[in-house]
Structure formats: structure tokens, C-alpha cells
Amino acid sequence: MTLQQLRQMKQQGRTITVLTAWDYAIARLIDAAGVDLILIGDSLAMVALGHRTTLPITLDEMIHHAKAVCRGVERSLLVCDLPFMSYQESIQQALHTAGRVLKETNVQAVKLEGGHPAAVETVAHLVQAGIPVMAHIGLTPQSVHRLGYRQQGKTPEAAERLVQEAIALEAAGAFSIVLEHIPADLALQITQKLTIPTIGIGAGPYCDGQVLVTADLLGLSERQPPFSKRYADLQGIVTQAIQTYCTEVKEGKFPL
Ligand code: KIV
């Protein structure tokens, strides 16, 4: 899967599937299932490392997980999140961080949060340096202490601001944009205005693609957002398997 193919999918009206991954085992399964794009999202700070927010994860930790994910992927497009405060200080810091991610892993692109002028300028500089960038606006979890986990873009002014941010990010060269937790009609408006694919999460059905945090989809996360969907209860299946193993060992039924 290439960036060009992703853009063609929007042009052809084919819906894009995106899931997050945090290690080799889960990446192999997601890739083999035919998901178009795999995101090494900084949500792994919460679902794989047990942090309460995405803020504590470091660049070295993201690169460590991205390397593992890349080893499991043959087909999907790979994008890695830039973690909190690894790109906000300066353009130089963002170039250094994104450069490290592309040099040290096999991902094809990076993702960063925000649509304010400084974020747009950062996207433009990364793209000029040859680094493909996926943007992310609406609810941006790295700003949790300012925004909370509330839906964004609810007032006409806030909605218009998000439309303008999306247009500016496309003009800066972003190849795609994640729209998180915004009203469905606003996501539709943005999707219709942009030529790059929009990927929604909690943004209704009218985006060019959808993304979920895989731990939520599989029923592995402790808490999940209201807009997520649990397609399996792996927590239940794993617990049952472990309890059965313990019982069989204690009762001498395993090993035979
Ligand atoms: O970190 C993440 O998993 C994300 C998705 C929610 C888009 O950014």
C-alpha cells in the first residue's frame, strides 16, 4: 500500500480501513487481515504500557514499538505517531524527530496532532524535507489537559475553525487527516472540501476511512471511548484460557 494508492481510494470512493498496532504479533494479524493502513499510535502508551494518558511515552519507546510492528507487516501502509513534546518545541526538533522515525524504522510516514498555525508550519517543513505527514485534528489526546476527551467542533465557530485547519493542513502537504470525535456533519463537510482522505474516529460514517484503537476493537482495553466498538471479548477469552490452564496444572491434567 502506498500514499498514492490511498489517495486513489478516496478518488474511487473506496473506504479506507485503519487500525492501530503496538507489537509484532498484533501487527502480523492486522496486516494479514488486509487492513489498508496501520498506525503505531501513541495510544499504545495507554493500551500497551499502562499509562493513564498518551503524554508520558517517549520517542525512543515509540521507535522501539514501531520497529516491532514493522517486522510483522508486508502489505499495509505504516504510519507512526510523533509523541508529545517531540515536535512542538521547534521546526528543527520536529525534523530531527521525524527523521529519526523514518531512518530507524520502516514506516512510510509520521502523524502529528494539531491544526493551529505552528502545527501547519511544522507539517509544511516536514513535507518539504520529504517526510510524508498525516495530520490529526478535533479531539487531540496530547492536549487532554486543555481539551479533556470531549467532542470538538460543536459550536459554529469551533466547527469553522476545524474546517479552516483542515484546509490549511492539506495546503501544507499533509497526505491524510484524522478527524477525532467531531460531529458527523462537520466531518462530512471537511471530507467534501479536501482532496486528501479523511480518516474518522468518533466522527460519523461520512469520512473516507475509519480508524479504531485495536485494543478497544478486541476488548482488551480497560476503558474505551463511547464511539468505539468492541468486536470481540479477548479479555474474557484470555482469562478463561489462563484459568483453565491453572486448574489443569493444579489437578495434574496438564502436562499429560
Ligand atoms: O494514538 C492513536 O491511537 C491515534 C488514533 C486514535 C487515531 O491517534
Side-chain angles (χ1 to χ4, degrees):
M1 185 56 108
T2 62
L3 299 171
Q4 290 71 26
Q5 283 172 310
L6 206 72
R7 188 180 274 254
Q8 275 167 13
M9 286 182 78
K10 173 167 180 135
Q11 288 160 356
Q12 295 164 354
R14 289 158 58 210
T15 307
I16 299 162
T17 51
V18 182
L19 282 177
T20 67
W22 54 89
D23 70 9
Y24 170 77
I26 203 74
R28 259 185 69 232
L29 297 175
I30 296 171
D31 186 54
V35 169
D36 299 311
L37 189 157
I38 296 180
L39 171 69
I40 300 106
D42 60 359
S43 57
L44 77 84
M46 299 168 79
V47 301
L49 302 181
H51 292 296
R52 297 195 70 78
T53 70
T54 58
L55 305 197
I57 195 157
T58 65
L59 177 59
D60 285 340
E61 287 171 327
M62 284 302 295
I63 288 176
H64 174 79
H65 283 270
K67 283 180 176 171
V69 167
C70 291
R71 285 181 212 118
V73 172
E74 287 175 7
R75 179 192 159 276
S76 307
L77 188 68
L78 281 157
V79 180
C80 182
D81 258 342
L82 301 186
F84 178 60
M85 289 319 291
S86 72
Y87 60 94
Q88 290 95 337
E89 273 177 34
S90 64
I91 302 292
Q92 282 66 31
Q93 188 206 24
L95 284 165
H96 180 75
T97 298
R100 267 196 71 193
V101 172
L102 257 71
K103 274 168 152 330
E104 295 179 33
T105 76
N106 277 328
V107 304
Q108 288 107 313
V110 298
K111 174 164 85 59
L112 60 85
E113 295 184 7
H116 45 81
V120 173
E121 203 192 335
T122 301
V123 170
H125 278 86
L126 294 181
V127 172
Q128 278 159 28
I131 300 172
V133 182
M134 182 178 225
H136 182 161
I137 60 170
L139 196 174
T140 45
Q142 291 179 9
S143 306
V144 59
H145 297 309
R146 188 167 61 84
L147 301 177
Y149 289 115
R150 284 184 298 277
Q151 192 185 47
Q152 300 297 304
K154 280 177 17 179
T155 64
E157 300 75 38
E160 182 52 27
R161 195 163 51 242
L162 286 175
V163 170
Q164 294 311 322
E165 286 182 1
I167 291 171
L169 287 161
E170 171 167 288
F175 72 87
S176 175
I177 182 164
V178 170
L179 304 177
E180 180 162 355
H181 208 8
I182 63 171
D185 58 344
L186 173 58
L188 172 64
Q189 207 188 324
I190 294 173
T191 299
Q192 287 174 338
K193 279 192 195 297
L194 300 189
T195 60
I196 58 171
T198 58
I199 307 295
I201 174 162
Y206 310 119
C207 297
D208 299 305
Q210 296 290 330
V211 55
L212 277 184
V213 172
T214 301
D216 294 342
L217 173 151
L218 294 177
L220 281 173
S221 42
E222 284 166 90
R223 290 171 294 275
Q224 66 181 78
F227 49 75
S228 191
K229 181 165 175 187
R230 183 170 286 196
Y231 284 84
D233 173 24
L234 283 204
Q235 193 170 315
I237 292 170
V238 170
T239 305
Q240 169 102 59
I242 293 169
Q243 284 169 346
T244 306
Y245 162 75
C246 290
T247 306
E248 290 198 358
V249 169
K250 285 182 192 298
E251 292 176 356
K253 292 183 183 158
F254 177 82
L256 290 176

